[in-house]
Amino acid sequence: MSTTVSAAALGPQRNRVVTFWQSTNGKKVVMAITGAMMFLFVVGHLLGNLQVFEGPEKINAYGHFLHSIGELLWIVRLTLILAIVLHITATIQLALRNKRARPIGYSRKQAINSSYASRTMYWSGPIVLAFIIFHLLQFTAGYIHPESRFIEGDVYHNLVSGFQVWWVSAWYIFAITLLGFHLRHGLWSMFQSVGFAHTRHTPTLKSAALLIAVVIVLGYISIPISILLGIVK
Amino acid sequence: MTLDAKIPSGPIEQAWDKARFDMKLVNPANKRKHSLIVVGSGLAGASAAASLGELGYQVKCFCFQDSPRRAHSIAAQGGINAAKNYPNDGESIYRLFYDTVKGGDFRAREGNIYRLAQISVDIIDQCVAQGVPFAREYGGALTNRSFGGAQVSRTFYARGQTGQQLLLGAYQALERQVHAGTVTMVPRTEMLDLIVIDGKARGIVTRNLVTGTLAVHLADAVILASGGYGNVYYLSTNAKGSNVTATWRAYKRGALFANPCFTQIHPTCIPVSGDYQSKLTLMSESLRNDGRIWVPLKKGDQRPPNEIPESERDYYLERRYPSFGNLVPRDVASRNAKAVCDEGRGVGKTGLGVYLDFSDAINRLGEKTIRERYGNLFDMYQRITDENPYKVPMRIYPAIHYTMGGLWVDYHLQSTIPGLFVLGEANFSDHGANRLGASALMQGLSDGYFVIPYTIGNYLATNKFPKVDKSHTEVQSAVSAVKQKTDKLLSIKGKRTVDSFHRELGKLVWDYCGMARTAEGLELAIGKIRSLREEFWQNVTVPGSGDDLNQSLEKAGRVADFFELAELMCIDARERNESCGGHFREEYQTPEGEAQRDDDNYSYVAAWGYNGPDRPPQLTKEPLEFHYVHPSQRSYK
Amino acid sequence: MKLTLKIWRQRTNRDKGAFVSYTVDDVDPEMSMLECLDVLNESLIERGDEPVAFEHDCREGICGSCGFMINGVAHGPERATTVCQLTMRHFKDGEELVIEPWRARAFFPIKDLIVDRRALDHIIQAGGYISVSTGQAPDGNAILVGKDIADQAMDAAACIGCGACVAACPNASAALFTGAKIAHLSVLPQGKPERDRRALGMVAQMNAEEFGNCTSIGECTGVCPKEIPLEVIATMNRDYLRASWTRREDQNETILPFTEWSTGSKLQSDPTSRD
Ligand SMILES: Cc1cc2nc3c(=O)[nH]c(=O)nc-3n(C[C@H](O)[C@H](O)[C@H](O)COP(=O)(O)OP(=O)(O)OC[C@H]3O[C@@H](n4cnc5c(N)ncnc54)[C@H](O)[C@@H]3O)c2cc1C
Ligand code: HEM
Ligand code: HEM
Ligand code: SF4
Ligand code: F3S
Ligand code: FES
């Protein structure tokens, strides 16, 4: 039969932060909080980026402004890095656990009550990660900048010349759509993870998450699309 | 042999207090030195195991399901009675006592029933504290309903899932003790024999249903809470696994079996739809509060119900029992349904069914109200039959539902084997010849939470328990008897499946020892049961082996015991030349066709003792005395 | 009508399993899924074969014994219905039904469609109760409980412990089951004193068993025969979150998920070794 392990047998009392992190529920809370932080960045970043429609001066000034605040920028960057590291560490640990939890799969499995987005979080997340790396190499570091030259500080030029390459734009559109999927489920799920839910609120939360995800995707992809179409040049 | 029920003398109101005071106590420090076996994890078993664990005994609890939470008690729908008198409508301990004695048609002990009524009050408190979500008023107080034609509202309920919620309460209490280490739960294990050493019950032989391993478990006392034997009829409202094996093996080891022919038929079940039918589904009795029961006036009327005009319908219960109408007791409603079907006026494909019509109620109260009252039952009916009961009348038919008979126990719930205690539906004690609705849950929990913790203490404190070894000859012979029987079943390799025998047996018992019985029919049945049993032992086929999970083998063992029980039921029914409660002998009825009791000659408990395979069982009578409620004829006209 | 049943057969947990197809010719639309298997089994036994092992008891949708996947859906195509109450009229003549057991590491296979679900009992043992011993209770009406609260508790308490939620969850998570018990007890005033302890204990046990974690997918509630709402998972998370940061002292005990089955070794081979 089962064996009970007493507290004593588990060794010295563990720190509650450790215990919390070790439980799947604790990790989910961390994912929710870090996800929310990244979401705030995504919103802010979108608002910044949309200034591209107001012409080179505006967005370049914005770029300069960001770089000029120095330490603050690094605080934000470090927070984001920490968030993403925690988010991803938890993702990997949970994904491994989930894989282990069903060693033999079903020969046939039908989904009857879930969204596509919810079932593909472990795909949309990593692709977004790959995108972010690509994106940093392109616009922040300037390592990847096909078919044109990266000009440090000239954000407008970098954007327009970057997105004029069709496959770069296509990749952005694809990755951002996946980010949208990720948010469509994640923005609702994070409430569930921190324990805020009620039969009354759930439908509202779900529709709000969908709406926000759509707005964010449309907002972001409007940039490469306008550049490809020559509206912004 | 004389049977001493050990009812304390003196006024009935103080009997239980007095008994508790007179009982010896086990020193708290010694409790953990006593080991106890509980067979069954239903309301009776789980509540007993949990309470005994809380007291500090070392308890081992067995069930054949994969989890104690699945015991058959989970299926009870309607509710649980208690003399709380929260509705202020005239309920009292005395009234519950009175109604139960009368409802049992004066074939149960006053002393036991009075104690049951007293304890009923504590049960509700205990369950509420455990978190059982009973139905509530808006103000937050517990609410009650009237059930099974009772004149007062004394039934507590949790939607249509009262049994489930009560069992989960007991199960959780049990799991708490498992965690605390006082109870060891042994699921997927079936008890196959009782070990009696020096005249005392000291252990059981079990079979692990997954590995087939036989094991011996020894203890200072054994508690059986293994439920009722309604499945002897094959088709019943019981869970498929419900069986008589545990109590039957105890009977064969010397415990007396009381009133085996007292079985209860429930009038409102979904009728059989074909030969493949595996069990019957109960529709709560509460439906009769608003539904009207009828059949066509003409025989063999094949028209759909909606096309049969009012004038060609026979609302037979309303016609025959103007004052109680559709709310007559279970046995009366059942017998009348059988009668109209026997006349050829039954409805549905098989002709075994009557209509339960809600159209009047829907017209009067509106569909919404009916939906609020019975929504989940209507849904269940529709799920099973694909008919919409809001539009078409339901079809119902009686089915076996409960068995009042069981192992004989005294006031301490101890059987005739010292150290063997029997609780819940497995014993015979509190319901006489007919059980009132919502009383079985009450009895199971009363036995388990509030009676056995005291009475077993007395037994343990007043007896010595020399250590027994597994090498003891009694132990070894019990193990080899079980092994032989299992091997035998596997080796017959005949042509017929276990289920086909069970079906045939069930039909025999239903036809001759069901709703109506005659001496002649019973005689015939005994012969037929015997020859079918012989065929079983020669022609049954049990595929597979004994050393892994083998559901056919499990069934075969149970059916083998049902064969023997069926015969005893018929013998008991034949012996009892009167009609009472669920036992209706056609020869003994009033001119109006009601049950005719014979108090002068049959006011006793019939306790049968095993006499070996070739000798008829031995009848011992425990006379019943009524000092408080005086026997009267029931009348529902 | 005639159906093809493609059923997972596995003799014991030590054997490898495989699908075997059977045709059942005389399926009556009125019979239940389990009665259909009964009919198949009767014919298998008559042929001298071993019948398909499946778990069942009440056949009324309340005990939680039964359950398997039909064409990739736990408990089959009807919502809020266990396989024992699923009637065959939901299938078409000539259809093929793929019947598979629940699959999860925490549910060790036993035989054919039967799996070991004791991990669910362990979760209850770790705190799924109110610690009140027999005799300690005050009067039933001493603590009033509003009707809406009682109803909410009842909604969650309706869980039958069948394990379909785990089976259907892409992560094989037992969150709905665990959440249901936590939600049932934590809304009631009687359950409040122990709320933190319960959440810590049950969650620790749920994690100690080899279940996956919940990512709010929602398949579980879709197949749940009692339609336990997803919100119970949020309640579990909330109670756990609160308890983790407000309770310092005692570390809850967990029960080792290790069972004899999981090693594949044979249980108690000596008839008298266990007592
Ligand atoms: C459909 C239905 C509805 C009902 N509704 C009501 C109602 O509304 N109100 C009411 O008061 N009563 C009702 N009853 C009656 C009531 O449910 C039962 O009488 C009562 O639950 C019996 O409880 P128990 O603990 O004695 O046995 P059970 O609950 O039957 O438990 C028997 C236990 O014994 C175990 N067991 C059996 N044999 C063995 C063995 N050989 N080895 C090991 N373990 C074994 C089983 O595993 C199980 O755990 C209803 C009954 C039915 C069928
Ligand atoms: C801009 C970047 C990202 C944002 C805004 C974001 C946001 C979120 C949010 C809000 C959740 C819901 C958390 C919860 O249910 O508690 C979530 C879940 C998830 N994220 Fe991200 N995420 C981002 C990037 C990533 C990356 C890079 C990965 C993977 C490498 C990833 C993998 C996941 C996974 C697998 C989940 C589901 C896990 C779960 O719900 O338990 N995410 N994300
Ligand atoms: C069309 C869409 C996008 C455009 C046009 C865009 C543009 C830019 C530009 C120009 C920079 C460089 C800023 C600078 O160094 O001055 C930048 C940085 C960055 N972008 Fe984007 N971005 C887009 C989408 C995204 C998305 C979807 C994400 C995240 C999921 C993202 C995450 C980042 C990050 C993390 C940085 C680095 C910020 C820093 O340096 O601190 N971007 N982006
Ligand atoms: S939550 Fe639903 S699916 Fe899960 S065990 Fe309970 S009843 Fe079954
Ligand atoms: S399907 Fe699984 S992921 Fe959570 S919401 Fe249900 S447990
Ligand atoms: S057999 Fe009990 S729920 Fe299906």
Side-chain angles (χ1 to χ4, degrees), chain A residues 79-155:
Chain A
T79 322
L80 280 177
I81 290 170
L82 183 68
I84 213 159
V85 167
L86 286 175
H87 196 84
I88 291 171
T89 314
T91 297
I92 293 171
Q93 290 175 336
L94 292 179
L96 289 176
R97 183 189 173 98
N98 292 345
K99 206 167 149 33
R100 214 181 118 70
R102 177 159 296 133
I104 305 172
Y106 290 108
S107 77
R108 191 185 288 188
K109 182 75 176 41
Q110 233 173 294
I112 58 162
N113 190 45
S114 53
S115 63
Y116 180 74
S118 71
R119 281 175 273 127
T120 49
M121 290 298 270
Y122 291 101
W123 289 105
S124 56
I127 294 174
V128 169
L129 177 67
F131 162 79
I132 294 173
I133 294 169
F134 179 94
H135 180 57
L136 291 181
L137 292 177
Q138 180 177 23
F139 289 124
T140 309
Y143 282 138
I144 309 177
H145 215 71
E147 301 179 29
S148 70
R149 208 164 50 81
F150 177 76
I151 306 174
E152 174 94 48
D154 191 349
V155 178

Side-chain angles (χ1 to χ4, degrees), chain B residues 47 50-51 54 60 64-72 74-75 77 84 86 124-126 128-142 158-159 161 164-165 168 171-173 175-179 186 188-189 208 210-211 213-218 237-242 273 276-282 349 380 382-386 395 449-450 470 476 479 495 497-500 541 543-545 547-552 555, chain C residues 11-12 14 28 30-32 35 38-39 41-42 45-46 48-60 62-65 78-81 85 87 89-90 110-111 114-118 120-122 124-141 143-147 150-155 157-162 177 181 184-185 188 190 197 226 253-255 261 266-275:
Chain B
S47 59
S51 305
E54 286 159 7
K60 229 186 259 178
F64 64 77
Q65 294 92 344
D66 69 321
S67 162
R69 67 181 292 152
R70 310 206 197 283
H72 163 62
I74 200 104
Q77 303 171 345
K84 278 286 198 186
Y86 286 149
I124 300 303
D125 299 342
Q126 185 63 30
V128 167
Q130 288 171 341
V132 170
F134 282 121
R136 301 264 176 177
E137 309 282 356
Y138 283 105
L142 292 159
R159 294 213 184 127
Q161 289 133 278
Q164 180 199 27
Q165 294 310 315
L168 292 182
Y171 156 77
Q172 286 162 203
E175 295 294 23
R176 174 170 159 245
Q177 292 310 305
V178 171
H179 197 227
V186 194
R188 291 195 194 276
T189 303
N208 178 318
V210 177
T211 61
T213 319
L214 299 182
V216 170
H217 302 267
L218 298 172
T237 61
N238 282 16
K240 290 293 284 177
S242 297
S273 63
Y276 50 78
Q277 189 92 23
S278 61
K279 76 154 292 182
L280 296 169
T281 303
L282 179 83
K349 218 164 44 178
M380 175 155 94
Q382 185 159 15
R383 200 174 299 139
I384 293 174
T385 62
D386 204 25
R395 283 173 297 111
Y449 283 133
F450 296 108
K470 282 179 184 170
Q476 289 307 323
V479 175
K495 296 228 154 22
T497 65
V498 177
D499 274 358
S500 80
T541 176
S545 78
D547 45 48
D548 70 348
L549 187 134
N550 187 338
Q551 292 174 318
S552 307
K555 282 197 260 188
Chain C
R11 250 187 66 79
T12 72
R14 295 174 299 278
D28 189 306
E30 305 258 307
M31 50 171 74
S32 72
E35 285 169 340
D38 288 342
V39 170
N41 279 344
E42 287 289 288
I45 298 172
E46 277 162 10
D49 289 340
E50 272 207 62
V52 178
F54 60 90
E55 201 131 44
H56 65 108
D57 201 22
C58 73
R59 299 210 176 187
E60 282 187 21
I62 193 75
C63 74
S65 296
E78 274 290 292
R79 290 276 178 122
T81 305
Q85 289 216 300
T87 50
R89 65 178 81 89
H90 299 292
I110 292 182
K111 183 171 194 171
I114 301 183
V115 298
D116 183 359
R117 290 171 288 194
R118 80 176 69 174
L120 300 181
D121 286 331
H122 291 171
I124 301 295
Q125 283 160 22
Y129 40 73
I130 290 171
S131 299
V132 48
S133 297
T134 305
Q136 292 179 330
D139 184 81
N141 267 341
I143 303 172
L144 297 178
V145 182
K147 184 174 183 308
D151 283 347
Q152 218 178 312
M154 182 63 222
D155 286 340
C159 165
I160 59 174
C162 62
F177 170 83
K181 188 47 62 198
H184 160 208
L185 296 176
L188 289 172
Q190 287 86 356
R197 222 186 120 71
K226 299 295 148 186
E253 301 170 358
T254 52
I255 301 150
W261 324 114
K266 200 169 159 160
L267 251 184
Q268 309 110 25
S269 42
D270 169 14
T272 50
S273 72
R274 258 176 82 216
D275 64 342

Side-chain angles (χ1 to χ4, degrees), chain B residues 428-498:
Chain B
F428 89 108
S429 66
D430 300 352
H431 307 295
N434 176 50
R435 175 177 69 79
L436 291 184
S439 287
L441 303 181
M442 169 172 76
Q443 182 226 331
L445 291 179
S446 158
D447 290 358
Y449 283 133
F450 296 108
V451 179
I452 194 72
Y454 296 95
T455 60
I456 207 155
N458 183 55
Y459 173 75
L460 295 171
T462 52
N463 280 279
K464 292 231 169 340
F465 301 95
K467 199 170 158 26
V468 279
D469 211 57
K470 282 179 184 170
S471 55
H472 195 289
T473 48
E474 290 295 331
V475 176
Q476 289 307 323
S477 77
V479 175
S480 56
V482 167
K483 188 155 168 27
Q484 261 171 24
K485 182 164 176 183
T486 319
D487 290 348
K488 171 85 177 121
L489 286 169
L490 286 162
S491 67
I492 301 170
K493 297 263 173 277
K495 296 228 154 22
R496 283 184 66 180
T497 65
V498 177

